[in-house]
Amino acid sequence: MEEETKLSIYRAARIIKRRENTLYNALTSIYEDSIFVGEISQLWPELPLLANLRCGLWYSSKFHFTCYFKSTDGHTNNWSFNTSRLNLHVALLAGDKGGCIIVDSTRRGKRFPDSMSKTIPIWTCVLNRSVCNFRNKMCNNAHVVVEGESNASDDHANDRREFSVDWDCSLHLPLWVSDTEKAAINDRLEGWTKELEASGADIASLASCLKKPLRPLWISQKTVIWLNEVPDHDSWDFTPIILVSASSQSGIPQHRTTSKFSWNYIPGAGDDEESWARGLSPILFWNHAYDLINSGPNFCNQKVAEIVEKDRVFRAQRGHIAPQVLVKPPKLLENSTYMSHVEPLLSSDISNLKINLSSDEGCTISWLDSTNLAVGKSQHATKVPNVHCILNCDQESITVSLSNSEGYLHLPMVNSKLDRFSLLRNLPSAVNFAKSNISRGKTLLVCCHSGEDISVCVCLAILTSLFTEEGIFDDGKTFNETCITKLEMRRRLVFICKFATSARPTRGNLKQVFNFLGGGRVDSV
């Protein structure tokens, strides 16, 4: 009886939580928080607005770019500087525009996610140190060249001293991070800096672009800003990376009302979108935000279902991959009165639910320098000009109109969480297909559903197996003569990320690529 009572209490708590975290509550909370984000972005309108994927992308319709800083890289005792997520495009953009604003959010309990509290501060510090080392090295080389000319030598020495004094390489963390944690992070900075410099990242471009060192600033809904004293971003002696935590953190549930409806506020509502969004993407939300907010809590789910289905049909008619979406009712609520408010659902399997983070109008295909390799989304594969061959790693096949019937290969692959060896089984065929076509001067597009993970990993295997470190096709000669290390693979990944800035390969898939590369030779076709 006692166990049944405990179970009933647990079930009741879950039902209450699910009732609070409804789709309407989530979307209305996001809309409310977006007003704050808009106000902050207007304080520095010259600075580009970036969304930290994926949660941050919900909080504005006017993002210029995206970035990907993971909170796990900033978790206590798990701090890291990940060279597979360098986000160098963010630093280059900040250097060019004089700074940038990054938006993210977090659930109840924290004012800022760990991505903002520690991951980004670590990132700015490591980049600053690498730029400082690079510039000092360049100054030393220039000093040696002009050593015989005393006046020029004195000028270079003065410039070097001035730079070393003014360039801030210290670690800047928010006040709530303890001194013990700050000291532990400081001890690791030198090692991370060496890792970055050994990764082959383009520090030279960063050094030429950054006029002032990077430095994070933190703004939340509790931050007090005097509107008549907002400093111009050019007045600071650093390049500001303004970190905006979109959500309010009161610590207690907030019941709010409008002129029409009442609703419960959810901090960090954009997080974990698979659990609540019902196939709705940020772009679809902002295209229909007014209608959704004004539909009210009783009709919001039905409105979302209509929007998602209409978008699916629209994309399917244009030959895009557009699987239907099933939203299953939670088992805990099956016998509750709450089920009476659940609208009819769309058909298919929940595993097909994928959130599209970019509009169909934008063709997200990235060419990897002069390698004749490109990487991107499968739904855009047929739109890209000058593509001779397509390697499709998506689950769904696509209709292509290539002059060469042998120029299309479909190798369905899934994430390592679903199959730990999916990539490993298919990489030999993928590399052989790439080799047979690139060796004949053909261009090759490697695509998957997101264009960010599996296709990037396949490109990494192809690039490492068939190209030199400089990106020159050599038919696998260098690979057959070299023992590939994790550092070498990391350098090739950095090369890819330089051109495919949205790349987000997962650890499990990268591990399969490394196991493939360590397996042996590239046989002649």
Side-chain angles (χ1 to χ4, degrees):
M1 183 66 183
E2 185 179 352
E3 290 184 2
E4 291 181 1
T5 304
K6 289 182 179 179
L7 182 61
S8 298
I9 293 173
Y10 172 78
R11 286 167 60 89
R14 294 288 292 175
I15 290 172
I16 292 171
K17 183 177 180 180
R18 288 184 183 276
R19 284 184 177 178
E20 290 179 353
N21 294 347
T22 64
L23 180 59
Y24 183 77
N25 287 343
L27 295 180
T28 311
S29 300
I30 289 169
Y31 186 81
E32 287 282 306
D33 290 339
S34 73
I35 297 173
F36 168 70
V37 171
E39 291 172 348
I40 297 301
S41 65
Q42 287 304 306
L43 296 179
W44 296 279
E46 304 87 0
L47 299 184
L49 188 67
L50 283 74
N52 192 33
L53 297 176
R54 289 179 307 167
C55 177
L57 199 59
W58 287 91
Y59 290 93
S60 177
S61 61
K62 301 177 180 179
F63 285 116
H64 301 97
F65 298 94
T66 61
C67 55
Y68 187 47
F69 295 97
K70 289 193 70 172
S71 287
T72 51
D73 292 336
H75 286 176
T76 303
N77 296 323
N78 193 44
W79 317 284
S80 67
F81 178 86
N82 199 314
T83 52
S84 66
R85 294 186 287 273
L86 282 181
N87 290 288
L88 282 185
H89 67 288
V90 178
L92 293 169
L93 181 67
D96 182 53
K97 301 296 184 181
C100 68
I101 302 172
I102 300 177
V103 177
D104 203 351
S105 186
T106 187
R107 292 287 187 176
R108 185 180 296 133
K110 291 183 178 180
R111 284 177 61 188
F112 290 85
D114 284 340
S115 59
M116 290 184 163
S117 294
K118 285 167 278 189
T119 303
I120 295 178
I122 289 171
W123 172 81
T124 58
C125 183
V126 172
L127 292 190
N128 286 338
R129 285 170 170 248
S130 294
V131 168
C132 183
N133 292 343
F134 178 83
R135 288 186 173 177
N136 283 335
K137 188 185 299 182
M138 293 299 102
C139 287
N140 289 332
N141 292 341
H143 176 70
V144 171
V145 171
V146 299
E147 189 174 1
E149 304 174 21
S150 59
N151 291 336
S153 179
D154 292 342
D155 290 340
H156 279 283
N158 291 334
D159 291 342
R160 187 166 67 253
R161 281 194 296 270
E162 182 179 351
F163 170 76
S164 61
V165 170
D166 293 341
W167 197 262
D168 183 9
C169 292
S170 56
L171 176 65
H172 295 277
L173 293 170
L175 295 176
W176 55 86
V177 176
S178 67
D179 291 339
T180 302
E181 192 168 2
K182 182 176 181 180
I185 294 173
N186 258 315
D187 291 341
R188 292 164 170 79
L189 289 173
E190 188 62 31
W192 290 330
T193 304
K194 290 179 180 178
E195 285 182 18
L196 174 60
E197 293 169 350
S199 70
D202 190 3
I203 304 300
S205 296
L206 187 59
S208 64
C209 182
L210 278 180
K211 303 300 183 291
K212 295 180 284 188
L214 301 167
R215 181 168 175 177
L217 299 174
W218 297 268
I219 295 179
S220 71
Q221 293 198 27
K222 288 188 176 181
T223 303
V224 177
I225 300 177
W226 300 102
L227 296 181
N228 61 335
E229 297 181 6
V230 175
D232 188 87
H233 68 276
D234 287 334
S235 66
W236 287 315
D237 59 355
F238 53 85
T239 301
I241 307 295
I242 300 174
L243 308 177
V244 179
S245 182
S247 295
S248 171
Q249 296 292 337
S250 67
I252 57 174
Q254 301 179 45
H255 187 76
R256 301 185 182 183
T257 58
T258 64
S259 58
K260 294 183 178 180
F261 308 109
S262 62
W263 51 284
N264 292 317
Y265 176 76
I266 304 173
D271 194 21
D272 191 24
E273 60 196 41
E274 289 90 348
S275 66
W276 60 266
R278 293 174 173 253
L280 191 71
S281 70
I283 284 183
L284 281 179
F285 167 64
W286 285 109
N287 286 342
H288 304 275
Y290 180 82
D291 291 338
L292 287 170
I293 298 302
N294 284 280
S295 66
N298 291 333
F299 298 100
C300 181
N301 288 14
Q302 181 178 347
K303 189 70 177 177
V304 167
E306 293 172 356
I307 291 171
V308 171
E309 178 64 7
K310 185 181 292 186
D311 177 69
R312 187 194 71 79
V313 172
F314 176 85
R315 289 185 288 117
Q317 289 174 344
R318 283 152 182 79
H320 302 159
I321 298 173
Q324 290 181 309
V325 179
L326 169 70
V327 184
K328 296 180 180 178
K331 291 182 179 179
L332 288 174
L333 303 181
E334 286 176 352
N335 297 322
S336 70
T337 56
Y338 181 77
M339 286 301 296
S340 61
H341 300 293
V342 177
E343 290 77 17
L345 305 173
L346 303 174
S347 62
S348 190
D349 184 35
I350 191 67
S351 62
N352 288 328
L353 177 57
K354 297 285 186 181
I355 301 301
N356 181 19
L357 295 174
S358 63
S359 65
D360 287 334
E361 288 80 7
C363 190
T364 52
I365 300 295
S366 303
W367 288 96
L368 306 182
D369 202 14
S370 56
T371 61
N372 280 348
L373 267 176
V375 61
K377 295 185 176 184
S378 51
Q379 53 263 50
H380 296 149
T382 57
K383 299 180 181 179
V384 186
N386 303 320
V387 169
H388 302 136
C389 309
I390 295 176
L391 172 56
N392 179 17
C393 306
D394 203 343
Q395 286 292 287
E396 304 288 334
S397 185
I398 56 178
T399 303
V400 296
S401 55
L402 299 172
S403 57
N404 176 15
S405 60
E406 297 180 356
Y408 175 74
L409 178 62
H410 182 208
L411 293 175
M413 305 184 203
V414 296
N415 192 279
S416 60
K417 290 183 178 180
L418 301 176
D419 184 344
R420 291 186 300 155
F421 306 104
S422 180
L423 262 77
L424 194 58
R425 284 194 303 269
N426 287 287
L427 283 177
S429 299
V431 171
N432 284 332
F433 178 75
K435 182 177 181 179
S436 65
N437 287 285
I438 297 176
S439 62
R440 292 179 287 166
K442 305 287 187 180
T443 57
L444 173 64
L445 168 63
V446 182
C447 58
C448 66
H449 184 86
S450 69
E452 300 171 349
D453 184 8
I454 292 176
S455 56
V456 170
C457 289
V458 173
C459 272
L460 176 60
I462 294 171
L463 196 69
T464 308
S465 300
L466 303 177
F467 290 79
T468 66
E469 189 173 349
E470 293 75 27
I472 300 172
F473 180 77
D474 71 347
D475 211 30
K477 181 179 178 182
T478 301
F479 175 71
N480 290 332
E481 296 174 351
T482 307
C483 179
I484 300 298
T485 63
K486 287 186 178 180
L487 175 60
E488 176 64 25
M489 193 180 82
R490 219 175 283 134
R491 291 172 65 89
R492 303 298 179 99
L493 181 58
V494 168
F495 174 84
I496 293 175
C497 293
K498 179 180 178 181
F499 303 97
T501 55
S502 62
R504 297 190 292 159
T506 56
R507 180 177 298 180
N509 289 340
L510 287 174
K511 184 178 180 181
Q512 292 180 72
V513 175
F514 182 70
N515 290 339
F516 164 76
L517 296 174
R521 302 168 50 84
V522 172
D523 298 326
S524 57
V525 179

